[in-house]
Amino acid sequence: MITAILVMVVLAVAVGLVLGWSAVRFKVEGNPLAEKIDAILPQTQCGQCGFPGCRPYAEAIAKGEADINQCPPGGEEGIKKLAELLGVEPKPLDEAHGAPKPKSVAFIDEQLCIGCTLCIQACPVDAISGAAKQMHTIIAAECTGCELCVAPCPVDCIAMVPIAEDLPHWKWKYPVIELKRVA
Amino acid sequence: MPSPFILDRSSVTQVMAWVLAALLPGVAAYVWLFGPAILVTLALATVTALAAEAAMLKARGYPARPFLTDLSAIVTAWLLALSLPALAPWWLIVTGTLFAIVVAKHLYGGLGQNIFNPAMVGYAVLIVSFPVQMTQWSGPLALTETSLTLAQSATVIFGGDAPKATLDAVTMATPLDALRTGLLQQLTVDEIMTQPIFGQFGGAGFEWLAAAFLLGGLLLWALRIISWQVPLAFLAGIWLAAGFLHFFDAGRFGAPWFHLFAPSVMLGAFFIATDPVSGATTPRGKLIFGFGAGLLTIIIRTWGGYPDGVAFAILLMNLSVPLIDQHTQPRVYGTSGRGKEPPA
Amino acid sequence: MSRKLFKFKGGVHPPEHKAESNVRPLHAAPLPGKLVIPLRQHIGNPAKPVVEVGERVLKGQMIGAADGYISAAVHASSSGIVTAIGPAAVPHISGLPDLCITLSTDGRDEWIAHAPLDYQAMAAADLRMKLRDMGIAGLGGAVFPSAVKLDPGAAHSCPTLIINGGECEPWITCDDMLMRSRAGDILQGVAVMRHLLGSTEILVGIEDNKPEAIAAMQAAAQSLDFAVDVVAVPATYPAGGAKQLIETLTGRQVPSGKLSTDIGIQVFNVGTAYALARAVHHGEPLISRLVTVTGHVLRPQNFEVLIGTPMHTLITLAGERDGSTGALMGGPMMGMPMPDLEVPVVKATNCILVKSNALFPPLPKALPCIRCTRCADVCPAALQPQELFRFAKTGDFGRAQEYHLFDCIECGCCSYVCPSHIPLVDFYRYAKSEIWAREKEKRAADLARERHEFREFRLVREKKEKAEKLAAKAQAARAQAALDQAKPAGLAAAAAPELAAAPSDADAKKALIAAALARAQAKKAGVVPKNTDHLPPGTQREIEEIEARRAKIRELARQPLESEEKKP
Ligand code: SF4
Ligand code: SF4
Ligand code: SF4
Ligand code: SF4
């Protein structure tokens, strides 16, 4: 009986020591959780989550100040990944933050643009090129489709164009086979 | 629907039909050596299995036809029936089959999803719950004075009054039971082997039954429906483990031949351990799976609480399949087998 | 013949069906009235059109120029007028249109001036450029630009050159017919390859079910001044897969994720060698190829076809039959169904296989996987298809990659033998393209993150710079003021407007914007109605809500910066 208790005590102490040591030894700098969350977020930087960009939202989730279902561009899949990372149940997207939309890019009607630079100031990823009083153009490859440039434009010359499926972007679909109902 | 647009002629139904066909020599030998009782058992198990399968498919919202015609339920039923004593009471057969189909197969997700071999789950449940009834083996005709006709067998199985004397006259302990009892009575193996129930190298009659299963198994292998790895490794496991023990103390451990040709080993090696769904899938994994099952069989037979160990051995190995598969992935074309590096 | 052969793992033996089409002689298909020539016929960047609508082009004239290193040019297959440059139906399973140049032929089939190349006198790099501009690409199916494959790269030579005459797919016989009738030309192309790659060992692998082709190639090889070993390889599908042929002939495997050149081996299809010979010895760009038209047609046979010929004209030539259920490009194992039969023949079109319910009955429905591992037994890549299927089906792409999904060559052997009739390859294609798409998305997200972070950094820096500038100015002003105090007050007054200049600058800018706005609005009023006018109240409310949210976000976005400002 005594031996058993002794063994348990010694074991507990040993394990405790190892754990304590590794906590000191492998301490990670910075906030790795926020980094990991940020890596999952789509980086659209649209602010629909209620934070000024993906990174602040990631930090808020890491601190437990925000829920995981506030990012519409990330969609259901993003929520699932976050839930997996954080070990919580996935939940449906919070409608208050908007609904997922097909991915789009902004398009400036160059006939109407007055070169006011307001959209440049709004774009979170500097995807608009142009100088004051010059016509502005959107660099489609860099535009995240956040729509933040649409509202500031005083002449409403920016439209969001959904990305159409073409050959280079075509994907094989999930096979629609009659798997005689495979569970 | 993209390519390929042509298919080999194989189908699940065809695979299962061949398995059933390969069991026929065994069934024939059974009838020849032990009387027709097994036919009643087989029929009862088949009907129960089909009914259970149909009910479960309906309950789970699956179309019944394609799954009933794939014959997998009948294979399960036959394997279970052939593992049971031929004169087992009807409720034993029905309970075992129901358990196999309902719990071991469908509650795990149906065809292709079960972790354990359904027939062996049914068998294990029966032997744990009803050890006494599981000993009603009919003895080899060569050793019993009387034999039962088909009708008489059916009467016995369905619990009708068969004269107690007749029943006692036709049932006998299996060789494995006899060995076990004898050893408990401190007899040596050689002394036990003089009993009439033992034949040339296995049990009288039983050895020929085993040979018939072996024949069917070789047919399956020739048709490439089963791979050589599992049966060979299984038999090797039995042979080596039994031989090792026999070598050290021939007085207390049965000879390897005896163990190989004891009932259930050939059936297990070629028909049960080779069940693709619950077995290992990689070539090396199949070797490990078979060998492990053989080894465990002897260990359970020798030191366990039940006379035979094939069922438990296979179930235990079923449990370790994911692990075995994961660690025995074959070398993929152009890789060294582990990471992505090129072969040396 | 004495060569030691190696056996690759797996493989299947589907019915060959070669005798249908290889008993009829080779014919040139007549010139069609219209040619549709896609600009994306090869792997890599699509060609860029270099002609205008309405322009007359000659046969062999370049109409699309190669764009970048991995690309190839496209040429007019006959003389005529360019009638359209724009999206048109192409032979792709998706049915999506792609950029094509449409020619209306004039029937004169007038060649542009062309002359043979003196390849031995040319610098290797120039010769490769020339081949790229002649549109030479692999005709075995992958259509990789040949100029790239003919560059031995850093190794400076590629010791083993393998010519692939395997043609293991059922039904297809175009390589067989090419070898039977034009073995000499093929080997002349091989000579050019040997020249560019510096190969010392040349092997031609042909499946042993094509004895005529083997005999023809062996006979032609006699008259060469270098040794060519024509080897009969056992007919097993997919013996003609590049990786499998390499293993059969040399016993070596191409390391996963690498190219065969990394182990000093390069493989070309016989058709490519023939195209190369035409280009070098006749100066003809790649404008035609052999196409097998077979399956549910009256006279299955091979045609020499101009690139851009609509597929249905070939089917009509071979004798259309009732009851066809569409056509495949390629064979039954790896071919792709065509969205319609108007699509043109391209460089990758080796076979047009017309289906019917009798020849290709609809595939039976699938059952769950029973883990029988038949698929693993036949997989030439030694994969575990049943596990890959499980991972692909459940979307566990990470595990699929760990189990070497990308080493799958999509040969279809696994689907062919699966007793549960699961379309396994479909799941692998889906998983692969999903993984690629996600990687692309990930890269885009990383780029966006980087740019966003840079922007934040820039904003902070700009703010700081501005503040510094202001501080410096203020300092200067104060110093000035201190100086001025010593001076008569009248001079100090002169400095004041200068200080006030900054805000008035901003005012001026605002005024300018307002003016431009007014102008633009005036302009716009005449053209388009404002898209937020006349909206249903619901939408209007939504817009307002979004606006409010945005305002809040902007507010939030400003906060950290403002608090920073307040600190000092
Ligand atoms: S809602 Fe927009 S800003 Fe917020 S995390 Fe998602 S993409 Fe980023
Ligand atoms: S261009 Fe407009 S939509 Fe695109 S990222 Fe910039 S602000 Fe967002
Ligand atoms: S062949 Fe089909 S049923 Fe058999 S293991 Fe492969 S996928 Fe499963
Ligand atoms: S398609 Fe892929 S997984 Fe299937 S047999 Fe071919 S290489 Fe193997």
Side-chain angles (χ1 to χ4, degrees):
Chain A
M1 185 65 189
I2 304 263
T3 2
I5 290 173
L6 263 179
V7 166
M8 293 315 276
V9 168
V10 169
L11 262 181
V13 170
V15 169
L17 279 178
V18 169
L19 280 180
W21 176 78
S22 51
V24 179
R25 175 76 175 67
F26 299 111
K27 192 166 157 45
V28 198
E29 294 303 321
N31 188 348
L33 185 58
E35 297 266 313
K36 278 189 200 149
I37 297 171
D38 195 36
I40 292 173
L41 294 177
Q43 307 300 325
T44 309
Q45 313 290 4
C46 61
Q48 291 183 76
C49 49
F51 293 86
C54 304
R55 176 81 210 188
Y57 178 44
E59 275 159 17
I61 298 179
K63 279 189 227 142
E65 287 165 4
D67 214 335
I68 58 169
N69 61 349
Q70 302 182 356
C71 170
E76 211 161 294
E77 193 160 324
I79 296 174
K80 244 192 246 161
K81 282 193 198 152
L82 285 176
E84 204 171 295
L85 175 69
L86 300 169
V88 296
E89 278 295 305
K91 44 178 101 176
L93 185 71
D94 187 348
E95 291 293 325
H97 292 272
K101 286 183 205 157
K103 198 162 158 32
S104 315
V105 288
F107 175 76
I108 296 183
D109 184 343
E110 291 167 357
Q111 297 302 306
L112 290 177
C113 173
I114 55 169
C116 67
T117 74
L118 286 175
C119 56
I120 296 193
Q121 291 167 39
C123 178
V125 290
D126 290 343
I128 305 177
S129 74
K133 282 179 271 174
Q134 302 262 305
M135 177 190 73
H136 290 9
T137 320
I138 286 171
I139 311 164
E142 281 160 8
C143 170
T144 65
C146 69
E147 302 189 6
L148 289 184
C149 56
V150 177
C153 179
V155 290
D156 280 328
C157 70
I158 306 182
M160 300 305 296
V161 187
I163 301 175
E165 187 178 50
D166 59 359
L167 268 190
H169 290 103
W170 181 79
K171 286 199 291 186
W172 285 91
K173 307 295 175 301
Y174 189 85
V176 263
I177 45 152
E178 293 150 278
L179 263 187
K180 291 180 188 164
R181 282 213 45 191
V182 176
Chain B
M1 180 96 130
S3 55
F5 292 87
I6 46 176
L7 292 179
D8 206 2
R9 279 172 306 273
S10 71
S11 67
V12 177
T13 308
Q14 184 211 44
V15 170
M16 297 295 170
W18 273 116
V19 172
L20 293 178
L23 282 170
L24 288 180
V27 173
Y30 213 124
V31 174
W32 179 256
L33 297 164
F34 299 91
I38 186 68
L39 295 178
V40 180
T41 315
L42 280 175
L44 182 58
T46 305
V47 171
T48 314
L50 285 178
E53 177 95 1
M56 283 314 284
L57 287 171
K58 191 158 163 44
R60 293 175 59 221
Y62 280 73
R65 244 183 79 94
F67 284 94
L68 283 180
T69 49
D70 72 19
L71 305 183
S72 63
I74 304 186
V75 169
T76 298
W78 282 28
L79 291 178
L80 177 63
L82 289 170
S83 309
L84 295 179
L87 290 174
W90 67 271
W91 51 267
L92 202 68
I93 300 164
V94 171
T95 313
T97 313
L98 280 179
F99 207 87
I101 299 288
V102 174
V103 177
K105 185 173 181 188
H106 279 287
L107 292 192
Y108 277 93
L111 178 68
Q113 311 290 317
N114 46 295
I115 301 168
F116 298 105
N117 184 309
M120 288 302 100
V121 172
Y123 176 86
V125 165
L126 294 184
I127 198 151
V128 169
S129 319
F130 312 103
V132 179
Q133 285 82 354
M134 288 292 279
T135 57
Q136 283 197 7
W137 290 90
S138 58
L141 297 179
L143 300 179
T144 53
E145 306 97 62
T146 54
S147 64
L148 297 177
T149 64
L150 192 61
Q152 282 171 323
S153 309
T155 323
V156 172
I157 287 171
F158 286 102
D161 314 304
K164 181 90 172 86
T166 349
L167 199 55
D168 282 345
V170 291
T171 60
M172 292 181 101
T174 65
L176 278 176
D177 282 325
L179 178 66
R180 184 173 195 79
T181 330
L183 286 174
L184 286 177
Q185 293 163 359
Q186 307 292 326
L187 299 174
T188 69
V189 170
D190 285 334
E191 287 162 5
I192 302 168
M193 288 292 173
T194 55
Q195 293 172 15
I197 185 78
F198 296 95
Q200 303 292 327
F201 36 73
F206 288 103
E207 56 202 17
W208 293 112
L209 181 58
F213 284 136
L214 174 63
L215 187 73
L218 291 178
L219 172 72
L220 285 188
W221 171 73
L223 289 166
R224 296 290 179 279
I225 286 179
I226 59 173
S227 58
W228 56 271
Q229 283 101 335
V230 175
L232 197 77
F234 187 91
L235 299 180
I238 299 227
W239 172 264
L240 287 179
F244 181 78
L245 295 173
H246 189 69
F247 176 76
F248 278 104
D249 191 347
R252 281 183 42 229
F253 302 107
W257 279 122
F258 168 75
H259 276 290
L260 274 189
F261 280 86
S264 77
V265 166
M266 288 299 165
L267 187 68
F270 286 96
F271 293 92
I272 299 172
T274 52
D275 167 29
V277 177
S278 54
T281 53
T282 62
R284 272 187 302 149
K286 285 177 184 169
L287 285 175
I288 297 176
F289 179 86
F291 192 79
L295 218 60
L296 283 173
T297 302
I298 292 297
I299 291 175
I300 296 171
R301 276 187 186 173
T302 311
W303 290 288
Y306 296 98
D308 200 355
V310 172
F312 292 107
I314 289 176
L315 289 177
L316 281 173
M317 290 313 286
N318 285 164
L319 206 56
S320 35
V321 158
L323 204 65
I324 297 176
D325 276 352
Q326 202 185 338
H327 290 283
T328 54
Q329 284 300 311
R331 189 180 68 81
V332 170
Y333 177 100
T335 65
S336 68
R338 270 151 273 121
K340 277 256 176 196
E341 332 83 85
Chain C
M1 278 285 125
S2 56
R3 194 183 176 82
K4 177 175 171 1
L5 294 181
F6 301 83
K7 165 115 187 60
F8 67 88
K9 197 199 146 291
V12 293
H13 294 97
E16 282 170 3
H17 289 294
K18 303 260 191 193
E20 280 89 339
S21 54
N22 68 9
V23 289
R24 286 192 182 77
L26 186 59
H27 283 300
L31 179 66
K34 187 183 87 170
L35 291 165
V36 181
I37 301 168
L39 288 157
R40 191 197 311 271
Q41 292 192 46
H42 45 264
I43 289 181
N45 296 334
K48 277 200 211 138
V50 292
V51 289
E52 307 272 332
V53 174
E55 199 174 323
R56 174 156 197 269
V57 292
L58 295 174
K59 180 170 184 156
Q61 181 179 339
M62 186 197 289
I63 53 175
D67 179 20
Y69 182 59
I70 304 186
S71 184
V74 298
H75 300 80
S77 317
S78 183
S79 59
I81 308 286
V82 177
T83 53
I85 302 178
V90 292
H92 189 272
I93 180 172
S94 67
L96 289 172
D98 201 20
L99 195 56
C100 296
I101 296 180
T102 308
L103 297 183
S104 170
T105 55
D106 55 16
R108 278 185 272 170
D109 214 21
E110 195 179 326
W111 265 100
I112 196 165
H114 58 291
L117 305 175
D118 183 6
Y119 74 92
Q120 267 151 338
M122 286 173 84
D126 293 345
L127 179 53
R128 282 194 292 268
M129 273 303 157
K130 193 83 192 131
L131 294 175
R132 191 189 67 159
D133 292 340
M134 293 181 115
I136 310 294
L139 297 186
V143 257
F144 197 82
S146 302
V148 183
K149 280 177 76 181
L150 284 167
D151 187 350
H156 299 300
S157 79
C158 185
T160 306
L161 171 62
I162 294 179
I163 304 302
N164 189 345
E167 201 169 52
C168 53
E169 269 256 7
W171 293 94
I172 308 180
T173 55
C174 62
D175 289 351
D176 185 9
M177 294 308 282
L178 185 71
M179 287 187 283
R180 288 190 201 186
S181 54
R182 295 173 191 175
D185 291 313
I186 295 173
L187 291 175
Q188 281 182 355
V190 174
V192 180
M193 293 172 174
R194 172 176 170 266
H195 170 73
L196 276 171
L197 291 171
S199 311
T200 47
E201 183 185 34
I202 295 155
L203 305 167
V204 180
I206 305 173
E207 272 197 346
D208 57 12
N209 57 3
K210 303 185 227 333
E212 294 97 330
I214 296 173
M217 290 295 281
Q218 268 165 349
Q222 299 297 320
S223 54
L224 287 175
D225 55 356
F226 56 94
V228 171
D229 198 353
V230 179
V231 190
V233 299
T236 306
Y237 179 85
K243 289 177 168 186
Q244 281 63 43
L245 191 62
I246 290 175
E247 190 170 6
T248 310
L249 291 175
T250 67
R252 299 167 72 189
Q253 295 191 338
V254 183
S256 169
K258 298 224 168 141
L259 299 172
S260 63
T261 32
D262 293 330
I263 54 169
I265 300 174
Q266 190 59 284
V267 185
F268 285 98
N269 175 266
V270 285
T272 317
Y274 176 73
L276 200 59
R278 295 304 297 180
V280 170
H281 293 293
H282 302 267
E284 292 174 6
L286 178 48
I287 52 168
S288 69
R289 67 157 298 147
L290 296 201
V291 178
T292 308
V293 183
T294 185
H296 189 63
V297 289
L298 290 172
R299 296 171 299 276
Q301 58 186 307
N302 284 276
F303 294 107
E304 179 151 24
V305 184
L306 295 176
I307 304 291
T309 306
M311 287 187 180
H312 73 88
T313 59
L314 297 179
I315 297 174
T316 315
L317 272 180
E320 204 171 351
R321 285 171 70 180
D322 289 340
S324 99
T325 52
L328 306 179
M329 181 169 104
M333 294 297 284
M334 291 181 78
M336 289 298 152
M338 291 294 102
D340 67 66
L341 298 179
E342 279 300 317
V343 295
V345 165
V346 292
K347 292 175 186 173
T349 312
N350 48 2
C351 178
I352 299 169
L353 180 53
V354 183
K355 295 193 300 166
S356 71
N357 274 333
L359 291 173
F360 301 97
L363 302 184
K365 290 183 179 177
L367 280 173
C369 167
I370 55 166
R371 293 171 34 102
C372 66
T373 65
R374 288 187 177 203
C375 49
D377 294 343
V378 297
C379 175
L383 298 165
Q384 294 281 300
Q386 78 281 9
E387 306 281 6
L388 291 177
F389 162 63
R390 192 159 54 102
F391 299 140
K393 184 158 70 88
T394 51
D396 191 350
F397 299 129
R399 292 290 295 285
Q401 269 172 290
E402 262 172 52
Y403 278 65
H404 299 277
L405 173 66
F406 282 97
D407 285 308
C408 164
I409 57 170
E410 298 179 18
C411 64
C413 289
C414 49
S415 304
Y416 178 71
V417 296
C418 177
S420 286
H421 310 309
I422 303 171
L424 296 161
V425 190
D426 241 17
F427 278 91
Y428 309 147
R429 293 194 185 108
Y430 153 75
K432 283 182 185 177
S433 79
E434 201 58 33
I435 292 170
W436 280 321
R438 281 179 197 197
E439 242 154 50
K440 232 189 254 169
E441 240 165 57
K442 180 101 186 40
R443 270 201 299 279
D446 287 344
L447 178 74
R449 183 184 297 116
E450 211 171 276
R451 293 185 70 88
H452 182 61
E453 274 162 12
F454 175 75
R455 180 188 140 91
E456 307 266 89
F457 165 77
R458 183 177 57 100
L459 289 181
V460 172
R461 189 189 61 197
E462 272 166 12
K463 200 146 261 178
K464 210 166 98 197
E465 273 168 6
K466 217 183 218 167
E468 265 164 17
K469 229 185 260 164
L470 272 179
K473 237 181 205 168
Q475 186 104 42
R478 238 176 281 135
Q480 190 70 37
L483 263 183
D484 288 349
Q485 271 180 354
K487 290 186 177 175
L491 279 175
E498 220 184 278
L499 270 176
S504 76
D505 239 13
D507 281 348
K509 202 169 166 196
K510 249 181 218 154
L512 275 175
I513 292 184
L517 186 59
R519 268 199 312 278
Q521 242 145 18
K523 187 165 139 201
K524 198 173 168 188
V527 230
V528 246
K530 199 173 161 175
N531 66 351
T532 44
D533 281 349
H534 322 296
L535 286 173
T539 321
Q540 193 66 45
R541 200 163 349 113
E542 254 176 51
I543 292 176
E544 268 153 27
E545 273 170 35
I546 292 168
E547 290 303 328
R549 201 179 66 232
R550 286 219 174 93
K552 203 176 92 207
I553 291 158
R554 274 196 290 278
E555 204 49 55
L556 279 169
R558 219 169 287 131
Q559 266 167 14
L561 293 173
E562 272 169 8
S563 58
E564 262 168 40
E565 270 173 6
K566 272 177 216 141
K567 261 184 239 155

